Amino acid sequence: MPKHLKILWWAVCKPPIPSAYAEVTGQLVTTLRARGHLVDLLSMLPQSWRDVKQVGGIDLAYPYDEVIPQIILQHWSAAEEAGAPYDLCVFMGDLWANGASLDMLTKTGYLDAKGQRHTVKLLVHAPIDHQPLTPQEVGILDSCAGMAVPTRWGADVVSAGTRFPGNQL
């Protein structure tokens, strides 16, 4: 029997916002939940500071800024302290727009009560629409657990500039 994962999903936006990110997020999260995985969804809705509870997980809405990684680190550390850690954090959005936040999750992380540093195990699901990748993007991807690229061209760009071979994207 396959292991069910506990996933913290960080998306640019979620349904019912009319966007490709929201559509794909909705489809992937619904599919993962239907297969028995626990998915807590954190979404960033511009100009919104409201918290919304949703069945099946946490659903918080925040704008883009330094608050997002702090919220993710709080959820990640609280789950670890409770003995029910997340297996993975999935980020779905543009690397260039969220570079500082992604660096904070994969490199800076947080200190636990014993002073030990922890980082987030991150899988990036991002469109790659330019080449070459910037040094910041390469650094982010090289510190991630994995990456999903929606196009073959993007996968080729990533495999040419990072440690990820094309057959793992």
Side-chain angles (χ1 to χ4, degrees):
M1 177 179 280
K3 177 185 178 195
H4 290 130
L5 298 175
K6 184 174 179 184
I7 302 168
L8 183 58
W9 190 286
W10 169 23
V12 173
C13 57
K14 64 173 184 63
I17 301 297
S19 78
Y21 282 126
E23 180 68 25
V24 173
T25 293
Q27 291 174 6
L28 292 173
V29 169
T30 299
T31 299
L32 289 167
R33 286 177 177 165
R35 293 182 179 177
H37 302 290
L38 173 64
V39 182
D40 290 339
L41 176 60
L42 298 174
S43 62
M44 302 172 286
L45 302 176
Q47 308 305 315
S48 175
W49 283 95
R50 60 185 172 74
D51 291 358
V52 181
K53 296 291 183 188
Q54 182 181 48
V55 176
I58 303 162
D59 186 356
L60 304 172
Y62 290 95
Y64 292 92
D65 64 14
E66 66 279 353
V67 170
I68 299 297
Q70 292 170 7
I71 292 168
I72 292 169
L73 291 172
Q74 287 171 357
H75 285 287
W76 193 270
S77 64
E80 284 195 356
E81 289 172 14
Y86 286 103
D87 296 299
L88 189 64
C89 178
V90 175
F91 166 73
M92 185 168 188
D94 289 306
L95 294 177
W96 63 268
N98 298 282
S101 296
L102 294 165
D103 277 341
M104 182 180 250
L105 296 177
T106 61
K107 295 174 185 160
T108 307
Y110 66 94
L111 295 176
D112 66 16
K114 296 177 182 177
Q116 295 178 339
R117 182 160 308 282
H118 299 267
T119 57
V120 171
K121 185 176 181 181
L122 189 68
L123 182 135
V124 172
H125 185 291
I128 301 297
D129 56 7
H130 60 277
Q131 70 176 14
L133 297 174
T134 66
Q136 182 183 36
E137 291 168 327
V138 170
I140 290 166
L141 294 176
D142 281 343
S143 65
C144 290
M147 179 167 191
V149 183
T151 67
R152 174 53 36 207
W153 183 86
D156 291 344
V157 170
V158 170
S159 67
T162 69
R163 65 179 173 80
F164 290 108
N167 64 351
Q168 290 184 8
L169 297 171

